[in-house]
Amino acid sequence: MNPTLSSAKVLVVGAGIMGAGIAQVAAQAGHSVYLMDAREGAARQACAKLRESLDALLAKGKFTQAQVDGILARIQPVDSFAQALDAGLVVEAIVENLDAKRALFAELEALLSDECVLASNTSSLSITAIAKGLRDPSRVVGMHFFNPVPLMKLVEVVSGLQTAPGVAQAIFDLSKAWGKVPVHARSTPGFIVNRIARPFYAEALALMHEQAARPEVIDACMRAIGFRMGPCELMDLIGHDTNFAVTQAVYAANFFDKRYTPSLAQSALVDGGMLGRKSGRGIYDYAAGSKPPVVDLQALPLPATSHLQLHSRAHDTQGMTDWQARLQAAGIAADLVTDSEWTGMQAGHLQIRQTDGRPASALGAQVLVYDWHVPQGGAPVLAFAASSGATEDNIALAQALLGALGFAPQRVADQPGLVVARTLAMLVNEAADAVQQGVCDSAGADAAMKLGVNYPAGPFEWLGRWGAAEVVQVLEALDAHYRGERYRVSPWLRHAVWQAQHAA
Ligand code: NAD
């Protein structure tokens, strides 16, 4: 089946938040749209609401009157499918329930033409399962938009086991014509975005659960590498009930693979009704008058230091350039050790090392490890941990030195991978597994995470920056520390390390 959908009439079923947005985007692209909802009057209400929001955009000069009139004229609310028999594409955005979606498509299959494509906006159900029992399951495909639909660019085009490649391609092409960035995905739990994003939340929850770092420090560290929101504030915004439900669904759908184990810390929040912003309290308190906690950005005064050395691993030119620029800007002199086993600074017996995943205590008595960060130009917040034997004087010296070099160091517990390294390594690992399993390709994973959830870079872009060997080292340190399946390394990443070694 190779349908052409460029001039198809579109039937959107479900006039809720997603359906209304999909109808708008389709009409904006010039399609005639039928909008249908099981609840009486809902489709008309959605059109009235759309008129209001388009009028507001008109007032701001984002649309012309002709455009607004055209969009609204092209959307026709309907009360029965009999009014939409000439639809060439159905996009369903009804309740997230497998039986309801199956029943809807079975009803539509009997009414609409055999060429009509049946697309589902499901965010968690299997496209293969939705298509089960239909006369022609090959025309069922996922067309997963992100909220708010008119603004979010990503569309995951999800193929079930029986989806015809031509149908997926037609939806891919159509999404492009609608101004979106489509990415092909295979129907597996969480598709691309909801799957790869799990560790962003899970690692923050693990750090909180183990009392390794305060939420405001975790958030500040993740914002420092370019995330618009840290994981704790984002979960508070999404709602812990919703976030926990997605995690549970992905966990169950993966046959309770420990990799996706939900967090006790989050289930406690849900049990206590502390759902986030919407209930006035989540990880943070939103009650009137309470202020969000802030991290201390104050630098300690730098004492006179005798002999400083800048260490750099042989291939870590980026790390060395970053440190050299920082030392120069601070007017601090240091000798260079370019073939070191680690990157960072040495002051007497004190080593300040970029994390390779291992806790500081595993590296020596007077060691501080600092987190992955964006070289130059990134925000200054940087997590560090000190070995259990480190003297208070050395810890203060390291903090002062990091401060003088433009960082705002934040102490966290001496656990593997600190905050950023641990989280990014797990995001990369999840993305690598998704590619290994044919869910998407690496470019698709990068585009999906940047456009679906506004990540500052895609997992494979981070991988390019840090290197497969470094990512695997962090994961192995986590695995050695925690034992169990959670931090097992993706075979794709192991292969990438092997390839890099053999290419060298
Ligand atoms: P919603 O509750 O805002 O809207 C659902 C609408 O569908 C309601 O108006 C309801 O009356 C109608 N409906 C329910 N059963 C129906 C049926 N059998 N026939 C016709 N209409 C029916 O929900 P939503 O947030 O718009 O989500 C809709 C779908 O989109 C779900 O599958 C959801 O998982 C998916 N989705 C949601 C988001 C999001 O952020 N909200 C993002 C991506 C995908």
Side-chain angles (χ1 to χ4, degrees):
M1 194 173 175
N2 289 304
T4 318
L5 298 172
S6 52
S7 55
K9 292 193 175 174
V10 181
L11 165 60
V12 177
V13 189
I17 182 141
M18 296 304 286
I22 296 164
Q24 179 191 333
V25 167
Q28 230 164 285
H31 292 257
S32 294
V33 179
Y34 302 114
L35 184 58
M36 154 83 190
D37 196 285
R39 193 166 55 81
E40 211 184 312
R44 268 174 201 83
Q45 275 167 20
C47 287
K49 240 174 120 181
L50 177 59
R51 178 180 294 279
E52 275 174 32
S53 68
L54 289 177
D55 280 345
L57 291 169
L58 174 70
K60 284 188 192 160
K62 307 252 173 185
F63 281 104
T64 64
Q65 186 69 55
Q67 283 172 316
V68 169
D69 292 345
I71 293 167
L72 292 168
R74 282 191 286 277
I75 305 177
Q76 185 189 341
V78 296
D79 300 314
S80 100
F81 296 134
Q83 294 168 267
L85 293 180
D86 56 350
L89 166 67
V90 174
V91 186
E92 75 75 15
I94 66 166
V95 60
E96 186 74 342
N97 175 291
L98 180 59
D99 289 339
K101 291 190 195 283
R102 273 185 181 157
L104 173 70
F105 279 169
E107 186 183 354
L108 289 170
E109 185 176 51
L111 289 172
L112 303 178
S113 96
D114 288 350
E115 277 67 49
C116 181
V117 169
L118 304 175
S120 171
N121 182 48
T122 179
S123 32
S124 65
L125 300 171
S126 152
I127 296 300
T128 308
I130 291 175
K132 185 185 166 198
L134 291 184
R135 209 174 55 238
D136 178 10
S138 76
R139 57 176 163 148
V140 177
V141 62
M143 190 177 194
H144 186 210
F145 290 89
F146 288 73
N147 187 15
V149 179
L151 297 183
M152 297 301 282
K153 286 275 177 205
L154 180 67
V155 176
E156 291 179 339
V157 180
V158 188
S159 291
L161 282 181
Q162 302 196 69
T163 305
V167 167
Q169 193 55 45
I171 292 294
F172 187 95
D173 296 341
L174 184 73
S175 304
K176 263 192 174 169
W178 289 6
K180 300 296 180 191
V181 179
V183 173
H184 282 294
R186 215 158 58 80
S187 184
T188 46
F191 309 142
I192 306 173
V193 170
N194 277 337
R195 173 197 179 146
I196 296 178
R198 293 334 309 146
F200 185 64
Y201 313 111
E203 294 313 306
L205 289 164
L207 285 164
M208 280 170 50
H209 189 51
E210 293 167 16
Q211 305 192 63
R214 284 175 293 130
E216 61 271 27
V217 169
I218 299 171
D219 280 348
C221 288
M222 297 310 292
R223 280 198 308 266
I225 60 156
F227 284 88
R228 288 188 197 169
M229 294 180 92
C232 303
E233 53 192 342
L234 183 55
M235 283 184 281
D236 270 3
L237 182 69
I238 294 168
H240 289 279
D241 48 346
T242 306
N243 191 262
F244 189 55
V246 178
T247 305
Q248 280 182 306
V250 172
Y251 179 50
N254 281 290
F255 308 113
F256 305 103
D257 184 339
K258 293 272 183 279
R259 168 83 62 81
Y260 307 103
T261 307
S263 161
L264 269 178
Q266 192 170 40
S267 87
L269 288 168
V270 175
D271 288 348
M274 294 156 68
L275 305 180
R277 279 178 185 270
K278 63 184 171 188
S279 57
R281 176 90 198 264
I283 292 172
Y284 300 117
D285 192 355
Y286 299 94
S290 43
K291 289 208 168 96
V294 287
V295 297
D296 183 9
L297 301 178
Q298 212 82 51
L300 295 176
L302 182 63
T305 37
S306 48
H307 185 209
L308 276 186
Q309 283 181 328
L310 168 57
H311 282 248
S312 169
R313 285 165 305 149
H315 58 281
D316 189 9
T317 44
Q318 198 185 45
M320 193 175 67
T321 315
D322 179 35
W323 278 104
Q324 278 179 317
R326 288 175 185 276
L327 284 164
Q328 204 173 11
I332 299 174
D335 294 336
L336 208 58
V337 184
T338 49
D339 55 354
S340 179
E341 302 209 318
W342 49 277
T343 296
M345 302 288 305
Q346 179 145 10
H349 293 300
L350 169 67
Q351 294 181 354
I352 309 167
R353 299 166 59 140
Q354 166 150 320
T355 181
D356 63 7
R358 289 175 291 175
S361 302
L363 301 171
Q366 301 303 320
V367 175
L368 262 86
V369 287
Y370 61 87
D371 212 348
W372 287 354
H373 61 284
V374 180
Q376 285 125 60
V381 173
L382 182 75
F384 78 92
S387 58
S388 51
T391 62
E392 288 307 316
D393 281 353
N394 270 342
I395 295 172
L397 171 59
Q399 273 182 278
L401 198 52
L402 288 171
L405 295 176
F407 294 108
Q410 306 294 319
R411 188 166 181 183
V412 300
D414 188 24
Q415 308 232 27
L418 297 160
V419 177
V420 171
R422 169 182 182 143
T423 306
L424 291 192
M426 283 296 276
L427 286 172
V428 170
N429 201 37
E430 198 54 51
D433 256 3
V435 170
Q436 169 84 56
Q437 294 158 13
V439 175
C440 58
D441 59 19
S442 53
D446 281 349
M449 301 317 287
K450 288 195 286 186
L451 299 173
V453 272
N454 291 322
Y455 280 14
F460 291 93
E461 290 170 339
W462 279 312
L463 178 65
R465 207 177 286 170
W466 275 295
E470 282 72 11
V471 171
V472 167
Q473 247 183 339
V474 171
L475 292 168
E476 282 182 335
L478 284 157
D479 189 42
H481 188 82
Y482 289 104
R483 308 267 180 221
E485 289 295 300
R486 185 181 170 110
Y487 296 101
R488 71 172 183 271
V489 177
S490 163
W492 190 98
L493 271 181
R494 289 217 184 276
H495 186 69
V497 174
W498 183 86
Q499 269 187 321
Q501 280 166 352
H502 285 257

